[in-house]
Amino acid sequence: MLAAGALLFVAAHWDELAPPGRIALLVGLMSALHLGGALATGRFEALASTLHAVGTATLGATVFLAGQTYHLETRWPEGFLLWALGAGAGWWLLRDWPQAAFAAVLTPAWLVAEWTARAEALG
């Protein structure tokens, strides 16, 4: 409930934040989640795995919201690629099943997005 409250607070005030503040908030949240997961490793394995998984989910939000915040003319498939690479790195470092699940879902999502973008460009 605390996380949901924080999410609602940030969502209510998102437009009032300056772009650097938005990015700092997202990167700070992602870093705090992974740091919390690292600190919980060894004593609370389930909590550590959960915090790392939420941190990886936050990586996706960070990638896509950074593009939106700065009005970047990027291709959406590249966002999925960055997110999938982050999940792959998480799996390689942690050997944790949630990271493997993220990588297993995001890699095909990147391929489908890439194929869709190229098909639209050709047709």
Side-chain angles (χ1 to χ4, degrees):
M1 288 181 25
L2 182 62
L7 180 66
L8 289 172
F9 178 79
V10 170
H13 300 287
W14 185 256
D15 291 335
E16 298 169 12
L17 293 172
R22 293 177 186 179
I23 300 304
L25 179 68
L26 291 168
V27 171
L29 177 62
M30 182 180 61
S31 301
L33 287 165
H34 282 297
L35 180 64
L39 293 174
T41 299
R43 293 183 305 180
F44 307 105
E45 290 300 323
L47 177 63
S49 179
T50 301
L51 289 174
H52 282 303
V54 176
T56 301
T58 306
L59 171 64
T62 302
V63 167
F64 288 109
L65 287 174
Q68 179 189 21
T69 298
Y70 289 106
H71 306 289
L72 299 176
E73 293 293 329
T74 60
R75 298 175 55 242
W76 290 108
E78 292 168 356
F80 282 110
L81 174 62
L82 291 173
W83 195 5
L85 288 173
W91 177 80
W92 183 70
L93 291 169
L94 301 171
R95 302 291 184 199
D96 204 7
W97 74 265
Q99 303 300 321
F102 269 113
V105 170
L106 291 170
T107 302
W110 163 63
L111 289 172
V112 168
E114 188 69 47
W115 290 335
T116 303
R118 290 188 184 217
E120 287 176 359
L122 292 175

